[in-house]
Amino acid sequence: MLTTLKTVYTDTRASDLAWALGREPLPALAVLDLELSGAKLQLRLLGASHQVLLEEEQGSCSETVACMPGSSTPLPLGVAKRLGEWEYEFAARVETLSGGSFAGRAQELLALVADHPNGLAGTFPGSPHAFTAMLAQRGEGQVRWRTWHAYPQEGQLVVTRTRVGVRMAAPVAL
């Protein structure tokens, strides 16, 4: 699903993004509710940021990547945590692209997400390459999502990937 977000572009730099687990739902500009093999997933666009709410039999999880005033947790390169019955893994990177490369990558990502049944993307008024996009899937007992936060004025694309799944027991040595 592709939508034009009815807001001004407020998170203006990739370096403004912060990461948090366990936050309450924040006001969203666009929402996509998904049911993925028993997992309820809500993809939420918060302007140039995102929030994912996951609910399953084993529990719930909330991930937020946004400009959060007063946050003491900047966007990490990687996180691995145990959340009750789950293992949670998060990774982020910042890609810096030239103007032409940025425009091509933006069009490619928006086309991928807009036509995907588990995808949500929002573009901002004033720049066709200013967007936030999210794509979710479930497989092998895990829920995964990827996000892209585009900052065309800097030529930067923040890419995140998350995996949440039931902890696997350690194999028994024979």
Side-chain angles (χ1 to χ4, degrees):
M1 180 170 87
L2 179 62
T3 185
T4 299
L5 300 173
K6 310 257 187 292
T7 186
V8 294
Y9 193 56
T10 56
D11 292 352
T12 56
R13 293 190 320 260
S15 60
D16 289 341
L17 289 176
W19 167 88
L21 269 180
R23 290 186 77 112
E24 292 296 317
L26 297 172
L29 300 172
V31 173
L32 179 62
D33 289 307
L34 300 170
E35 177 88 29
L36 302 175
S37 301
K40 291 182 181 178
L41 195 65
Q42 188 176 74
L43 305 180
R44 303 167 59 82
L45 295 180
L46 315 172
S49 17
H50 81 261
Q51 187 172 50
V52 176
L53 307 177
L54 170 63
E55 194 173 312
E56 263 192 309
E57 190 176 298
Q58 293 87 358
S60 61
C61 173
S62 165
E63 173 189 280
T64 306
V65 172
C67 178
M68 295 179 272
S71 174
S72 60
T73 308
L75 192 64
L77 294 177
V79 174
K81 286 187 170 271
R82 287 187 175 177
L83 300 174
E85 297 287 319
W86 287 336
E87 289 181 350
Y88 169 92
E89 290 180 5
F90 171 87
R93 73 177 189 277
V94 178
E95 298 176 7
T96 302
L97 305 163
S98 67
S101 294
F102 189 92
R105 182 94 163 111
Q107 288 175 337
E108 173 185 283
L109 289 169
L110 286 172
L112 169 74
V113 174
D115 293 334
H116 197 286
N118 298 339
L120 175 63
T123 58
F124 293 89
S127 174
H129 303 128
F131 68 91
T132 301
M134 309 170 73
L135 189 59
Q137 65 182 31
R138 180 169 181 125
E140 300 173 7
Q142 300 177 342
V143 178
R144 301 170 189 259
W145 58 88
R146 298 200 56 182
T147 73
W148 299 270
H149 304 255
Y151 297 90
Q153 71 283 7
E154 295 182 313
Q156 291 189 323
L157 186 65
V158 177
V159 180
T160 74
R161 69 169 173 74
T162 302
R163 180 191 64 79
V164 179
V166 176
R167 286 196 317 218
M168 305 301 276
V172 178
L174 297 176

